[in-house]
Amino acid sequence: MRQFTLAQWVSIDQTRNRYRYYRIELGEDLWGDLCVMKTWGRIGWSPRHKLYWPRSERELTRLIQGTVSRRIRHGYRVG
């Protein structure tokens, strides 16, 4: 299974005790199908994961662009 990190963000605000990260990766599942894995959580803690199997290139583009814009709106920075 090959994985490629598309983007990684962090959101650190010491005054609010906020130490978060978010990563989106593109890869293949065990059967060779294209999948997108989102990983997030508090820095230093066990991560959470969610997998998506886009049905088309258009759906893949929408998923990635939506994720990028949401992370930026929520105060994440490339890290």
Side-chain angles (χ1 to χ4, degrees):
M1 187 165 124
R2 297 179 300 180
Q3 293 280 125
F4 302 98
T5 300
L6 298 175
Q8 184 169 312
W9 302 273
V10 294
S11 179
I12 298 174
D13 184 350
Q14 294 177 353
T15 61
R16 294 171 47 195
N17 194 27
R18 181 181 172 128
Y19 301 91
R20 297 181 184 173
Y21 70 94
Y22 200 97
R23 181 173 51 242
I24 185 167
E25 297 172 294
L26 182 62
E28 297 176 345
D29 63 11
L30 293 173
W31 297 272
D33 294 329
L34 182 68
C35 70
V36 174
M37 181 166 70
K38 294 181 178 182
T39 305
W40 69 93
R42 184 175 172 90
I43 295 172
W45 290 54
S46 296
R48 298 178 74 185
H49 306 281
K50 188 158 186 176
L51 294 172
Y52 298 88
W53 287 269
R55 296 182 184 154
S56 66
E57 193 173 315
R58 184 176 182 188
E59 187 177 341
L60 173 65
T61 303
R62 244 191 333 237
L63 176 66
I64 293 169
Q65 288 177 343
T67 301
V68 170
S69 64
R70 258 189 315 282
R71 292 306 105 206
I72 291 170
R73 274 196 320 265
H74 290 172
Y76 283 74
R77 302 285 180 240
V78 174

